[in-house]
Amino acid sequence: MKLSGGVEWALHCCVVLTAATAPVPAARLAELHDVSGSYLAKQLQALSRAGLVDSVQGKAGGYVLTRDAGQITVLDVVEAVDGAEPAFVCTEIRRRGPLAKPPEACTRPCPIARAMAEADAAWRAALRGISVADLAGSVGEDSGPTVLADIGAWLSPGGGGAGAPRE
Amino acid sequence: MKLSGGVEWALHCCVVLTAATAPVPAARLAELHDVSGSYLAKQLQALSRAGLVDSVQGKAGGYVLTRDAGQITVLDVVEAVDGAEPAFVCTEIRRRGPLAKPPEACTRPCPIARAMAEADAAWRAALRGISVADLAGSVGEDSGPTVLADIGAWLSPGGGGAGAPRE
DNA sequence: GACTCACTACTCGGATACCTTCTGTCCGAGTTACTAAGG
DNA sequence: CCTTAGTAACTCGGACAGAAGGTATCCGAGTAGTGAGTC
């Protein structure tokens, strides 16, 4: 079992978007994190499709969080990028083979599927209990409250070294 | 995120091995579940490598559980087949890019990695709380206590329709 | 009748192709801000 | 000075290759049971 690597990128993007005051283009987010811009764009599109971020087009366009960071859970981001399907899918093995159970006797999921579903629910509950705002708060505790502000300034047009005029 | 399909097969095999009184060859387990014998063998090898089942060779060989089913957790089986690595791997994005954090400031995992690790721990704890014996008990509750005995009889040499002499 | 030996059949184990999914990249459609001209 | 049309640059969005891991398969090494032969 492996989680898509894009999940990490998407989470970082959501956290830094907390500090942004204007739409941030995907290219700038990619430069900040030093990752492939084209591939990051794909993750942001997934976030947009899920309704977590709004995409504004045009010259000063980019991505913005659609709602307060406290209302976006980590689970929302994970499911947006990685899909909401559970990790375990029961193929109803018990209905196959020479000793197959008759379908009418299978009113509830088999014990194995129930166990896996329970674990899946625990995992999702843990992720649902943490919001993007919580993550941003933890970043402030870890590295001081100025880092996020610095990132926000760097993200704003003209703030970074790339787009800044040099005369 | 998707769990390997072999996990389901391995769990079913462990449950039915509970009812076996003699080593059961992989081919018979595959026939019982109506799945590919060659591929199921791979999963059983993983279980053997993890020390959950013992493989006995020779004419009346097969697989046997190494210890009581109550001492084998679902997590053991999942980790044996799917690997024990966590689903989320932090690539330390915070140390990259123009605003990279200096490595000496990264004494603890970043908040995102911490959140994912916490969820992963909850998932594993849920799986650790259920044993193969629990699964077997639930099967008995669902379908009556005779099914497992029937399966045990079918698994024993000469019990099934395939290996039974027909004269 | 008991023992020894060779044989056969059956088992696991690892090495080998195929395919779906994830990763990474590219170019086109659409929108916005800016500029300059005209009233 | 205000309005307006045009231009240009920048953005997102989906369609297109490459690589990795999972899925499925096969054949070889090794072992226990079986039978015949011998003492």
Side-chain angles (χ1 to χ4, degrees):
Chain A
M1 184 180 60
K2 185 151 181 312
L3 209 49
S4 164
V7 170
E8 186 183 8
W9 301 6
L11 282 169
H12 276 273
C13 285
C14 285
V15 171
V16 300
L17 280 179
T18 298
T21 55
V24 182
R28 187 161 281 248
L29 286 170
E31 189 191 355
L32 172 65
H33 294 122
D34 188 25
V35 296
S36 156
S38 309
Y39 190 40
L40 180 63
K42 185 182 281 294
Q43 320 301 339
L44 292 169
Q45 285 168 29
L47 260 54
S48 172
R49 246 179 264 122
L52 301 180
V53 300
D54 250 338
S55 69
V56 303
Q57 284 197 335
K59 193 166 172 125
Y63 289 97
V64 199
L65 295 179
T66 54
R67 52 183 189 265
D68 189 76
Q71 303 300 315
I72 302 178
T73 70
V74 175
L75 180 63
D76 290 331
V77 179
V78 170
E79 287 191 339
V81 173
D82 202 68
E85 305 82 31
F88 181 87
V89 285
C90 180
T91 60
E92 289 292 341
I93 283 185
R94 57 182 174 176
R95 299 195 201 173
R96 305 170 55 178
L99 267 59
K101 275 191 67 172
E104 59 265 23
C106 301
T107 57
R108 59 191 303 204
C110 79
I112 292 174
R114 274 183 274 160
M116 300 304 289
E118 197 173 314
D120 202 73
W123 184 71
R124 290 187 143 77
L127 293 182
R128 198 181 293 112
I130 304 179
S131 71
V132 172
D134 295 333
L135 293 179
S138 296
V139 169
E141 289 177 16
D142 282 8
S143 315
T146 63
V147 262
L148 269 180
D150 292 345
I151 291 176
W154 190 91
L155 287 177
S156 64
R166 250 191 168 263
E167 208 171 352
Chain B
M1 183 180 58
K2 184 150 182 311
L3 210 50
S4 165
V7 171
E8 186 183 9
W9 300 7
L11 282 169
H12 276 272
C13 285
C14 286
V15 171
V16 300
L17 279 180
T18 298
T21 56
V24 182
R28 186 160 282 247
L29 287 170
E31 188 189 357
L32 172 65
H33 295 122
D34 187 26
V35 296
S36 157
S38 309
Y39 190 40
L40 180 63
K42 182 181 282 294
Q43 320 302 339
L44 292 169
Q45 285 168 29
L47 261 55
S48 172
R49 245 179 265 121
L52 300 180
V53 300
D54 250 337
S55 69
V56 301
Q57 285 198 337
K59 191 162 174 126
Y63 289 96
V64 200
L65 295 179
T66 54
R67 50 183 191 263
D68 190 76
Q71 303 300 316
I72 300 178
T73 70
V74 176
L75 180 63
D76 290 332
V77 179
V78 171
E79 288 191 338
V81 174
D82 202 67
E85 304 82 31
F88 180 88
V89 285
C90 180
T91 60
E92 289 292 341
I93 285 186
R94 58 181 172 175
R95 298 195 203 175
R96 303 168 56 178
L99 268 60
K101 274 190 68 174
E104 57 266 21
C106 301
T107 57
R108 57 193 301 201
C110 79
I112 292 174
R114 274 182 275 162
M116 301 303 290
E118 198 173 315
D120 201 73
W123 183 70
R124 291 186 143 78
L127 293 182
R128 197 180 294 115
I130 305 177
S131 72
V132 172
D134 295 333
L135 293 178
S138 297
V139 169
E141 290 177 15
D142 283 9
S143 315
T146 63
V147 260
L148 268 180
D150 292 346
I151 291 176
W154 189 92
L155 287 177
S156 64
R166 249 186 169 270
E167 206 167 350

